[in-house]
Coordinates of all heavy atoms in Angstrom, one line a residue:
V2 N -12.4 4.0 0.0 CA -11.2 3.2 -0.4 C -11.0 3.3 -1.9 O -11.9 3.1 -2.7 CB -11.4 1.8 0.1 CG1 -10.2 0.9 -0.3 CG2 -11.7 1.7 1.6
H3 N -9.7 3.5 -2.2 CA -9.3 3.5 -3.6 C -8.2 2.4 -3.8 O -7.4 2.2 -3.0 CB -8.7 4.8 -4.0 CG -9.8 5.9 -4.0 ND1 -10.7 6.1 -5.0 CD2 -10.0 6.9 -3.1 CE1 -11.5 7.1 -4.7 NE2 -11.1 7.6 -3.6
L4 N -8.3 1.7 -4.9 CA -7.4 0.6 -5.2 C -6.7 0.9 -6.6 O -7.4 1.3 -7.5 CB -8.1 -0.7 -5.3 CG -8.9 -1.2 -4.0 CD1 -9.7 -2.4 -4.3 CD2 -7.9 -1.4 -2.9
V5 N -5.4 0.6 -6.7 CA -4.7 0.8 -7.9 C -3.8 -0.4 -8.1 O -3.0 -0.7 -7.3 CB -3.9 2.1 -7.9 CG1 -3.1 2.2 -9.2 CG2 -4.7 3.3 -7.7
E6 N -4.0 -1.1 -9.3 CA -3.2 -2.2 -9.6 C -2.0 -1.8 -10.4 O -2.1 -0.8 -11.2 CB -4.0 -3.3 -10.4 CG -5.2 -3.8 -9.7 CD -6.5 -3.1 -10.1 OE1 -6.4 -2.0 -10.6 OE2 -7.6 -3.7 -9.9
S7 N -1.0 -2.6 -10.4 CA 0.2 -2.4 -11.2 C 0.9 -3.8 -11.5 O 0.6 -4.7 -10.8 CB 1.2 -1.5 -10.5 OG 1.7 -2.0 -9.3
G8 N 1.7 -3.8 -12.5 CA 2.5 -5.0 -12.8 C 2.0 -5.9 -14.0 O 2.6 -6.9 -14.3
G9 N 0.9 -5.5 -14.6 CA 0.5 -6.3 -15.8 C 1.4 -6.1 -17.0 O 2.3 -5.4 -17.0
G10 N 1.0 -6.9 -18.0 CA 1.8 -6.8 -19.3 C 1.8 -8.1 -20.0 O 0.9 -9.0 -19.8
L11 N 2.8 -8.3 -20.8 CA 2.9 -9.5 -21.7 C 4.1 -10.4 -21.2 O 5.2 -9.9 -20.8 CB 3.2 -9.1 -23.1 CG 3.4 -10.3 -24.1 CD1 2.2 -11.1 -24.3 CD2 3.9 -9.7 -25.4
V12 N 3.8 -11.7 -21.1 CA 4.8 -12.7 -20.7 C 4.7 -13.9 -21.5 O 3.5 -14.3 -22.0 CB 4.7 -13.0 -19.2 CG1 3.4 -13.7 -18.9 CG2 5.8 -13.8 -18.6
Q13 N 5.7 -14.7 -21.7 CA 5.7 -15.9 -22.4 C 5.2 -17.0 -21.5 O 5.4 -17.0 -20.3 CB 7.0 -16.3 -23.0 CG 7.5 -15.4 -24.2 CD 8.7 -15.9 -24.8 OE1 9.6 -16.5 -24.2 NE2 8.9 -15.7 -26.1
A14 N 4.6 -18.0 -22.1 CA 4.1 -19.2 -21.4 C 5.3 -19.8 -20.6 O 6.4 -19.9 -21.1 CB 3.5 -20.2 -22.3
G15 N 5.1 -20.1 -19.3 CA 6.1 -20.7 -18.5 C 6.8 -19.6 -17.7 O 7.6 -19.9 -16.7
G16 N 6.5 -18.4 -18.0 CA 7.2 -17.2 -17.3 C 6.5 -16.8 -16.0 O 5.5 -17.5 -15.6
S17 N 7.0 -15.8 -15.4 CA 6.4 -15.3 -14.2 C 6.1 -13.8 -14.3 O 6.6 -13.1 -15.1 CB 7.5 -15.5 -13.0 OG 7.7 -16.8 -12.9
M18 N 5.2 -13.4 -13.4 CA 4.8 -12.0 -13.3 C 4.2 -11.7 -11.9 O 3.7 -12.6 -11.3 CB 3.7 -11.7 -14.3 CG 3.2 -10.2 -14.4 SD 1.9 -10.0 -15.6 CE 2.9 -10.2 -17.1
R19 N 4.5 -10.5 -11.4 CA 4.0 -10.1 -10.1 C 3.0 -8.9 -10.3 O 3.4 -7.9 -10.9 CB 5.1 -9.8 -9.2 CG 4.7 -9.4 -7.8 CD 5.9 -9.1 -6.9 NE 5.6 -8.7 -5.6 CZ 5.5 -9.6 -4.6 NH1 5.7 -10.9 -4.8 NH2 5.2 -9.2 -3.3
L20 N 1.8 -9.1 -9.7 CA 0.9 -8.0 -9.7 C 0.8 -7.4 -8.2 O 0.9 -8.1 -7.3 CB -0.5 -8.4 -10.1 CG -0.7 -9.1 -11.4 CD1 -2.1 -9.5 -11.6 CD2 -0.2 -8.2 -12.5

Side-chain angles (χ1 to χ4, degrees):
V2 177
H3 293 283
L4 303 171
V5 178
E6 301 98 339
S7 61
L11 176 65
V12 65
Q13 288 189 330
S17 299
M18 181 181 291
R19 183 180 179 89
L20 303 180

